[in-house]
């Protein structure tokens, strides 16, 4: 299974692709897509859509795992991130790839064993699990963590879907 993890953001959008299953995952690609604050909003959203669509077409993942918590303390930031979140969802729908949302605590619990893990612990587990040695952007690390979380939850989701049908 190929999974694209996405850490949504307007200025910085993390993308991470992995392949495998819960026992053995392989790193395929990661990147942090950045948009300039000087760009008009439509251009920023178009760029995000293009980059996500390009990766979806190139790697053809079977699933997308995205962080679903949008900041609530700063309404203007939440609104901007929400727009990027919507553009990402649109690109996935256009590509026909199912989207699975995971909260930050769920990701931390899945990788580290506790929902209260520190960011450094999550990054360490991503690197250790995928054998990635280079230091990379925190947004890309979060995206890879989301993809790994989906690999851990995919078998359970598949069994639940079979029970429903």
């Amino acid at each position: 299974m190929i999974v694209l993890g996405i850490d949504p953001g307007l200025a910085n959008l993390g993308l991470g692709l992995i392949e495998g299953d819960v026992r053995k995952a392989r790193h395929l690609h990661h990147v942090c897509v950045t948009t300039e604050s000087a760009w008009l909003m439509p251009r920023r959203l178009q760029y995000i859509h293009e980059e996500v669509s390009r990766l979806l077409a190139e790697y053809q993942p079977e699933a997308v795992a995205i962080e679903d918590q949008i900041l609530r303390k700063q309404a203007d930031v939440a609104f901007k991130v929400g727009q990027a979140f919507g553009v990402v969802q649109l690109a996935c729908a256009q590509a026909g790839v199912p989207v699975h949302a995971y909260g930050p605590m769920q990701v931390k619990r899945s990788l580290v064993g506790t929902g209260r893990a520190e960011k450094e612990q999550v990054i360490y587990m991503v690197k250790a699990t995928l054998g990635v040695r280079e230091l990379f952007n925190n947004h890309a690390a979060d995206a890879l963590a989301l993809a790994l979380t989906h690999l851990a939850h995919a078998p359970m989701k598949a069994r639940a879907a079979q029970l429903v049908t």
Side-chain angles (χ1 to χ4, degrees), residues 54-158:
R54 184 182 61 75
L55 280 181
L56 289 168
E58 182 178 344
Y59 288 94
Q60 299 182 351
E62 288 125 282
V64 168
I66 191 167
E67 185 173 346
D68 70 349
Q69 180 176 335
I70 296 177
L71 303 173
R72 295 190 179 129
K73 291 180 182 175
Q74 297 173 307
D76 60 327
V77 174
F79 182 72
K80 290 175 182 177
V81 172
Q83 289 181 80
F85 187 87
V87 167
V88 166
Q89 296 260 11
L90 172 63
C92 295
Q94 289 172 331
V97 181
V99 177
H100 304 271
Y102 299 96
M105 289 183 73
Q106 196 173 8
V107 173
K108 291 174 182 182
R109 194 176 316 114
S110 180
L111 268 69
V112 182
T114 175
R116 303 225 183 270
E118 298 293 325
K119 183 168 276 298
E120 294 77 24
Q121 292 174 291
V122 174
I123 292 172
Y124 175 84
M125 289 306 295
V126 167
K127 287 180 173 183
T129 302
L130 297 174
V132 177
R133 293 179 187 231
E134 81 255 16
L135 295 173
F136 47 80
N137 182 284
N138 284 347
H139 301 286
D142 288 347
L144 290 169
L146 284 153
L148 286 168
T149 298
H150 182 70
L151 280 185
H153 288 83
M156 188 172 31
K157 286 187 173 200

